[in-house]
Amino acid sequence: MKRYTVVGAGLVGSLLSLYLSKKGHQVDVYERRKDPRKNKKSEGRSINLALSERGWASLKEVGIEKEVLFDAIPMYRRVMHDIEGKLSYQDYGKNSQAIYSVSRGGLNRLLIEKAESKPNIKISFDHKCIAANLNDASVTFEHQRKTNEIKNDAVFGTDGAFSKIRLEFQKRSGFSYSQDYIEHGYKELNINPGPDGSFRLEKEALHIWPRGGYMLIALPNPDGSFTCTLFFPMKGELSFESLDSSNKAKEFMSQNFGDALELMEDFENQWNTNPTSSLVIIKCDPWNVKGKSILLGDASHAIVPFYGQGMNSGFEDCRVLYEIMEKSDNLESAFESFSTTRKPDADAISDLAMQNFVEMRDLTGQPDFLLRKKIENNFSNLYPDKWMPLYSQVTFSQIRYSKALAEGKKQDAIMQKVMKIQNIEKLWNSEEVNNFILNSLL
Amino acid sequence: MKRYTVVGAGLVGSLLSLYLSKKGHQVDVYERRKDPRKNKKSEGRSINLALSERGWASLKEVGIEKEVLFDAIPMYRRVMHDIEGKLSYQDYGKNSQAIYSVSRGGLNRLLIEKAESKPNIKISFDHKCIAANLNDASVTFEHQRKTNEIKNDAVFGTDGAFSKIRLEFQKRSGFSYSQDYIEHGYKELNINPGPDGSFRLEKEALHIWPRGGYMLIALPNPDGSFTCTLFFPMKGELSFESLDSSNKAKEFMSQNFGDALELMEDFENQWNTNPTSSLVIIKCDPWNVKGKSILLGDASHAIVPFYGQGMNSGFEDCRVLYEIMEKSDNLESAFESFSTTRKPDADAISDLAMQNFVEMRDLTGQPDFLLRKKIENNFSNLYPDKWMPLYSQVTFSQIRYSKALAEGKKQDAIMQKVMKIQNIEKLWNSEEVNNFILNSLL
């Protein structure tokens, strides 16, 4: 039996503790914040989460997928709102394939509840990590002004994008690291339920207002409300900085997102009160120090939210690491193997997430793009073993992200040629086009 | 009159203090190490330095170029040593154009000497920066166990690749940052002078032993010795890690660098004693906090040493910033302008330096590459206003690095086509080839 330290009881840390406890090991989890079950307001970052295949698969292995599903809302398609409020649609997958809107806070509380019910998991809240020795897996925590050093067999850093454990990695020679703030930040805005508790936009969908250089999205909540997020440049001519009064902001919103603005009560107050947050991409290498310390989730690979894969990839980290640890009792080779094999997948989903930002904010507003998706889906329905759309590979499969990225590039090259076929808008489901794709795949 | 704090009295910090003192401002320089004039051994990193046009131009403006030239050795060409010890040659530029081998320690002492001779520059050694407030330009130093806070009008972080001032930047939201350890590290090895003090390799040249995935180089010192540097993978099948005994190392050296090894006395001892160091690339953005704090040199853009531009670009930083500050009394707009306009140049030289590693360790050993250089030089001699080779733009001009990089890409595309011309090895200086290049430039 081993004894493990997990730093951070967020989504990834609390799920990881469940995995690590499976074989009877003792797991000590330390969380900087107070117990979130006692204070529902302090949920931290709250971009809506879209749970998909990788997330579900990871939750299943610890047996909590049904409870999660109970409060989740399936989103079967994208609904695009153009500048006049006209709608267009794009299914995410086939038949009943959907991504699921879930509440970060609710899911986190459920995972913590489940972890605490295990006799060999102990969660200590209000414990701030202030130092760590990565070589011998000892971590020092501060709690009520007292410090305490914990030394177990290994330490797992699941303390998020601004990880304190990773800061210790950063002091080591040979540790490559980058933090990259993208041009865009975000602000959340709320659409309340109708007077009768009804949804005021199509419920089981993800709404997008694509405007080229920026966009608004909305995800449904179980209470009938929608959480909207405006992704917008932080600085520059048209930016959060330039919209420096709620009047200017309202003017801008009414010009660009008129149908959404109409549904936002108390817009000015929301604009002034809700924080403007920045988005950071974090990459690093290696993720482990021998068999003693290892990083997972946002701590090792924080990505932008545009593919809905931040949580899903963090959950998959837990499953992948667990499977490697199952095969070997040697923590050093297990950690090395995880860091080496999982890193290309983390890099891939990071790049895919940035690509998907362009797709969402710009391409989804263009007829050509919707036609292209239609051709892909048509071909994929005819030849499901020959073509799985990139979005499906990422969202509805457990294919390695790095493989999906590579496949996606090949598909993109083919589709660029397809879109140049004369009269493609008429020929889109013709034998000619399908044969062209078939031949291109040879 | 303003009062400035400069953190770090290395090459860039001591030169910067001279620039900042020009208009009568008071400059307080703080250096972590002891006075290098009192302890010639503690010179820190000692990869040989190659001073070129940008460095000279920056030194001229503070009037110390003649003293520096006195101890510098011009290197007019690359001398390539193949695996059998056979030599080939490649001039760096035209006529008497050369890069100059200088001693890091000697140059640093000279700059410090010069700075201390100014009544308005005060250098405090043995002062370790332990904290800084970037918003109000206050810096706390530790000296003989006492701490002292200095608050001047602005603080200049010139404390190198592992800058303490930059660490404070790294804590700020919106600060993009990367540190990237490349696969290769390095180890210095020495070739002593001949018994009569003579140079045992061609004196006025930079020697390269290109071996594809790695290389050895040697630069001359005034005392007749050469400082060699082996650039070699840190880990892997053939690496510093795998050569884990001086016997294995000697075997490897004799197979790959036989003619150099013969000249190295006491090789085993050198191998065991001299440290193996890693190479890190650092990029960040922005470089300033309002008009209060700013980073220069390695602190903001540490690059790999393969273009000999680390010091030269740091010196050019000083000159470029000084020229901007000359034009405006407003520090905020000056710092913003420097950070915005200089950053693409720093990124460019960083990329160029990595490119040049491939060129040095691999391409210089290939006949095709030498032919290509010959064609370029020939054309450039005929049409000097139409073609300045990339190496010359970087090394013998003050053209912006970003412009040089862009020009270099265009030239590369043209030369790739030229090299595919049939019988190019015979036609290399023919009218046909020159016309082909002329047309490609249109």
Side-chain angles (χ1 to χ4, degrees):
Chain A
M1 201 206 74
K2 292 206 170 83
R3 189 165 187 137
Y4 297 130
T5 305
V6 173
V7 181
L11 294 169
V12 174
S14 48
L15 178 64
L16 179 68
S17 72
L18 287 164
Y19 272 97
L20 294 178
S21 73
K22 280 181 141 193
K23 299 282 166 191
H25 302 301
Q26 175 66 36
V27 186
D28 301 328
V29 185
Y30 294 89
E31 167 58 45
R32 184 177 49 81
R33 290 166 300 175
K34 294 198 185 335
D35 189 337
R37 294 165 301 181
K38 292 178 186 153
N39 177 7
K40 296 206 174 189
K41 286 284 169 203
S42 72
E43 292 176 4
R45 212 174 67 139
S46 63
I47 285 189
N48 279 53
L49 295 172
L51 194 57
S52 55
E53 171 59 21
R54 293 166 206 268
W56 287 117
S58 309
L59 292 175
K60 258 175 218 159
E61 286 204 43
V62 294
I64 61 166
E65 78 283 8
K66 281 182 192 148
E67 285 166 272
V68 176
L69 190 57
F70 189 78
D71 272 331
I73 301 178
M75 300 181 286
Y76 297 101
R77 57 180 185 174
R78 287 175 173 163
V79 176
M80 275 73 72
H81 298 238
D82 82 3
I83 202 138
E84 277 131 25
K86 251 183 60 191
L87 307 183
S88 54
Y89 305 90
Q90 186 203 333
D91 287 344
Y92 274 124
K94 295 175 185 174
N95 313 318
S96 63
Q97 281 182 326
I99 58 177
Y100 289 80
S101 175
V102 296
S103 135
R104 164 184 287 262
L107 182 52
N108 203 162
R109 286 191 293 273
L110 196 63
L111 283 164
I112 284 172
E113 198 71 41
K114 188 78 179 182
E116 280 217 324
S117 74
K118 303 283 176 191
N120 54 337
I121 300 181
K122 182 171 172 284
I123 309 186
S124 306
F125 293 98
D126 194 19
H127 276 67
K128 184 180 166 189
C129 168
I130 56 169
N133 182 337
L134 304 177
N135 293 312
D136 72 359
S138 62
V139 190
T140 306
F141 297 98
E142 191 181 271
H143 174 62
Q144 293 179 345
R145 295 190 178 177
K146 283 179 201 147
T147 62
N148 190 13
E149 192 188 70
I150 309 296
K151 189 172 159 180
N152 285 338
D153 292 302
V155 56
F156 298 77
T158 51
D159 48 345
F162 301 99
S163 167
K164 182 77 189 175
I165 297 293
R166 194 191 58 232
L167 258 187
E168 297 296 328
F169 276 78
Q170 285 168 234
K171 293 176 187 165
R172 299 170 70 88
S173 177
F175 184 70
S176 290
Y177 169 75
S178 71
Q179 60 184 44
D180 185 15
Y181 285 85
I182 70 167
E183 187 195 343
H184 292 71
Y186 68 92
K187 189 189 273 290
E188 288 193 3
L189 298 162
N190 207 56
I191 292 177
N192 287 336
D196 50 351
S198 64
F199 289 83
R200 295 159 77 191
L201 295 167
E202 177 175 323
K203 177 188 174 185
E204 296 184 334
L206 190 152
H207 297 262
I208 311 181
W209 290 255
R211 295 296 179 265
Y214 46 90
M215 70 174 177
L216 182 74
I217 66 169
L219 277 78
N221 300 313
D223 68 355
S225 67
F226 284 85
T227 304
C228 304
T229 311
L230 174 64
F231 294 98
F232 200 55
M234 293 291 278
K235 290 182 178 180
E237 216 171 311
L238 192 55
S239 66
F240 283 121
E241 199 181 60
S242 78
L243 299 182
D244 54 3
S245 72
S246 54
N247 268 350
K248 283 189 201 167
K250 194 165 187 174
E251 171 75 17
F252 163 79
M253 289 290 290
S254 95
Q255 281 169 11
N256 286 278
F257 310 108
D259 59 336
L261 180 66
E262 273 176 25
L263 304 174
M264 291 174 187
E265 278 158 43
D266 199 15
F267 169 80
E268 277 104 333
N269 185 40
Q270 288 199 53
W271 184 269
N272 290 331
T273 314
N274 295 356
T276 304
S277 307
S278 51
L279 290 168
V280 66
I281 299 169
I282 286 171
K283 294 182 179 177
C284 63
D285 186 50
W287 293 349
N288 71 306
V289 172
K290 302 224 165 70
K292 287 297 175 185
S293 306
I294 189 159
L295 302 170
L296 289 91
D298 281 0
S300 52
H301 53 87
I303 65 180
V304 290
F306 307 111
Y307 226 120
Q309 288 293 316
M311 171 185 62
N312 288 290
S313 66
F315 282 0
E316 197 175 51
D317 281 357
C318 299
R319 195 183 52 71
V320 170
L321 176 59
Y322 176 73
E323 282 175 8
I324 292 172
M325 287 170 71
E326 279 262 81
K327 286 183 207 137
S328 161
D329 259 355
N330 182 332
L331 283 183
E332 180 162 351
S333 66
F335 286 8
E336 287 284 345
S337 166
F338 177 73
S339 175
T340 312
T341 59
R342 183 72 175 154
K343 165 77 176 158
D345 294 317
D347 286 345
I349 190 56
S350 184
D351 293 351
L352 285 164
M354 268 313 284
Q355 281 177 29
N356 215 44
F357 186 24
V358 179
E359 176 167 325
M360 289 177 80
R361 74 178 199 234
D362 198 358
L363 303 182
T364 58
Q366 300 181 5
D368 257 21
F369 176 79
L370 298 181
L371 173 61
R372 181 186 148 153
K373 288 278 164 186
K374 215 163 61 169
I375 298 170
E376 272 194 71
N377 287 336
N378 185 57
F379 185 83
S380 173
N381 285 330
L382 288 169
Y383 303 100
D385 54 328
K386 292 196 190 297
W387 191 287
M388 188 189 291
L390 174 59
Y391 189 88
S392 300
Q393 293 186 50
V394 170
T395 307
F396 303 124
S397 91
Q398 294 182 52
I399 292 168
R400 289 184 62 172
Y401 288 126
S402 52
K403 197 180 163 215
L405 176 66
E407 284 283 306
K409 280 183 184 162
K410 279 188 213 160
Q411 293 178 347
D412 186 55
I414 294 173
M415 290 309 296
Q416 287 198 20
K417 285 183 203 152
V418 169
M419 295 303 288
K420 284 181 186 151
I421 294 174
Q422 272 210 320
N423 285 320
I424 182 68
E425 61 282 7
K426 285 178 187 155
L427 294 174
W428 68 274
N429 59 356
S430 65
E431 209 171 324
E432 181 191 337
V433 165
N434 290 330
N435 284 337
F436 180 90
I437 300 177
L438 273 176
N439 285 327
S440 303
L441 283 168
L442 292 180
Chain B
M1 199 207 74
K2 293 207 170 79
R3 189 164 186 139
Y4 298 130
T5 305
V6 173
V7 181
L11 293 169
V12 174
S14 49
L15 178 64
L16 179 68
S17 72
L18 287 164
Y19 271 97
L20 294 177
S21 73
K22 279 180 143 194
K23 299 283 167 190
H25 303 301
Q26 175 66 36
V27 186
D28 301 328
V29 186
Y30 294 89
E31 167 58 45
R32 185 176 49 80
R33 290 166 300 175
K34 294 200 184 333
D35 189 337
R37 294 166 300 181
K38 291 178 187 156
N39 178 7
K40 296 207 173 189
K41 286 284 168 201
S42 71
E43 293 175 3
R45 212 174 66 139
S46 63
I47 285 188
N48 279 53
L49 296 172
L51 193 57
S52 56
E53 171 60 21
R54 294 168 206 266
W56 288 117
S58 309
L59 293 174
K60 259 175 216 156
E61 285 205 43
V62 293
I64 62 165
E65 78 282 8
K66 280 181 193 149
E67 284 166 272
V68 176
L69 190 57
F70 190 77
D71 272 330
I73 301 178
M75 300 181 286
Y76 297 100
R77 57 180 183 173
R78 287 176 173 163
V79 176
M80 275 73 74
H81 298 238
D82 81 4
I83 202 140
E84 278 131 24
K86 251 182 61 192
L87 306 183
S88 54
Y89 306 90
Q90 186 204 331
D91 288 345
Y92 274 123
K94 295 175 186 173
N95 312 320
S96 63
Q97 282 182 326
I99 58 177
Y100 290 79
S101 175
V102 297
S103 135
R104 164 183 286 263
L107 181 52
N108 203 163
R109 286 191 294 271
L110 197 64
L111 284 163
I112 285 172
E113 196 72 42
K114 189 77 180 182
E116 281 219 324
S117 74
K118 304 284 175 189
N120 54 338
I121 300 180
K122 181 169 171 284
I123 310 185
S124 306
F125 294 97
D126 195 17
H127 276 68
K128 184 179 166 188
C129 167
I130 55 170
N133 182 336
L134 304 177
N135 293 311
D136 72 358
S138 61
V139 189
T140 307
F141 297 97
E142 191 182 274
H143 174 62
Q144 293 178 343
R145 297 187 176 177
K146 285 180 199 147
T147 63
N148 191 13
E149 192 187 72
I150 309 297
K151 188 172 160 181
N152 285 337
D153 292 301
V155 54
F156 297 77
T158 52
D159 47 347
F162 301 99
S163 167
K164 181 78 189 176
I165 297 294
R166 192 191 61 233
L167 258 187
E168 297 295 328
F169 276 77
Q170 284 168 234
K171 294 176 188 166
R172 299 171 70 87
S173 177
F175 183 70
S176 291
Y177 170 73
S178 72
Q179 60 185 46
D180 185 14
Y181 284 84
I182 69 167
E183 187 196 343
H184 292 71
Y186 68 92
K187 190 189 272 289
E188 287 193 3
L189 298 163
N190 206 56
I191 292 177
N192 286 335
D196 51 349
S198 64
F199 289 83
R200 293 160 78 190
L201 296 167
E202 178 176 323
K203 175 186 175 186
E204 295 185 335
L206 190 152
H207 296 263
I208 311 182
W209 289 257
R211 295 296 179 265
Y214 46 89
M215 71 176 177
L216 181 76
I217 66 168
L219 277 79
N221 300 311
D223 68 356
S225 68
F226 283 85
T227 303
C228 304
T229 311
L230 173 64
F231 294 99
F232 200 55
M234 292 292 277
K235 290 180 177 182
E237 217 171 311
L238 193 56
S239 67
F240 282 121
E241 198 180 59
S242 77
L243 298 181
D244 55 2
S245 72
S246 54
N247 266 351
K248 284 189 201 167
K250 193 164 187 175
E251 171 75 17
F252 163 78
M253 289 290 290
S254 96
Q255 279 168 13
N256 287 277
F257 309 109
D259 60 334
L261 180 66
E262 273 176 25
L263 303 175
M264 290 174 186
E265 278 159 44
D266 197 17
F267 169 79
E268 277 104 334
N269 184 41
Q270 288 199 52
W271 184 269
N272 291 330
T273 314
N274 295 356
T276 304
S277 307
S278 51
L279 290 169
V280 66
I281 299 168
I282 286 170
K283 294 182 178 178
C284 62
D285 186 49
W287 294 349
N288 70 307
V289 173
K290 302 224 164 69
K292 286 297 174 184
S293 306
I294 190 160
L295 301 171
L296 290 91
D298 281 359
S300 52
H301 53 86
I303 65 178
V304 289
F306 308 111
Y307 226 121
Q309 289 294 315
M311 170 185 63
N312 289 290
S313 66
F315 281 0
E316 197 175 51
D317 281 357
C318 299
R319 194 182 53 69
V320 170
L321 176 60
Y322 176 73
E323 282 174 8
I324 293 172
M325 288 171 71
E326 279 264 81
K327 285 183 207 138
S328 161
D329 258 354
N330 181 331
L331 282 184
E332 181 162 351
S333 66
F335 285 10
E336 288 284 345
S337 164
F338 177 74
S339 175
T340 312
T341 59
R342 183 70 176 157
K343 164 78 175 158
D345 294 318
D347 286 345
I349 190 58
S350 184
D351 294 350
L352 285 165
M354 267 312 283
Q355 280 176 29
N356 215 44
F357 185 24
V358 179
E359 175 166 325
M360 288 176 83
R361 75 180 197 232
D362 199 357
L363 304 182
T364 57
Q366 300 181 4
D368 257 21
F369 176 79
L370 298 181
L371 172 62
R372 181 187 148 153
K373 288 279 164 183
K374 214 163 64 169
I375 297 169
E376 272 195 70
N377 287 337
N378 184 57
F379 185 83
S380 173
N381 284 331
L382 287 169
Y383 302 100
D385 55 328
K386 292 196 190 296
W387 191 288
M388 189 190 292
L390 175 58
Y391 189 89
S392 299
Q393 293 185 51
V394 171
T395 308
F396 302 124
S397 91
Q398 293 182 53
I399 293 168
R400 288 184 63 172
Y401 288 126
S402 52
K403 197 179 164 218
L405 176 66
E407 285 281 307
K409 281 182 184 164
K410 280 188 215 160
Q411 292 179 346
D412 185 53
I414 294 172
M415 289 309 295
Q416 286 197 20
K417 286 183 203 151
V418 169
M419 295 302 288
K420 284 179 186 152
I421 294 173
Q422 273 211 320
N423 285 321
I424 183 66
E425 62 281 7
K426 282 177 189 158
L427 295 173
W428 69 274
N429 59 354
S430 65
E431 208 171 322
E432 182 191 338
V433 165
N434 290 331
N435 284 337
F436 180 90
I437 300 177
L438 273 176
N439 285 328
S440 304
L441 284 169
L442 290 182

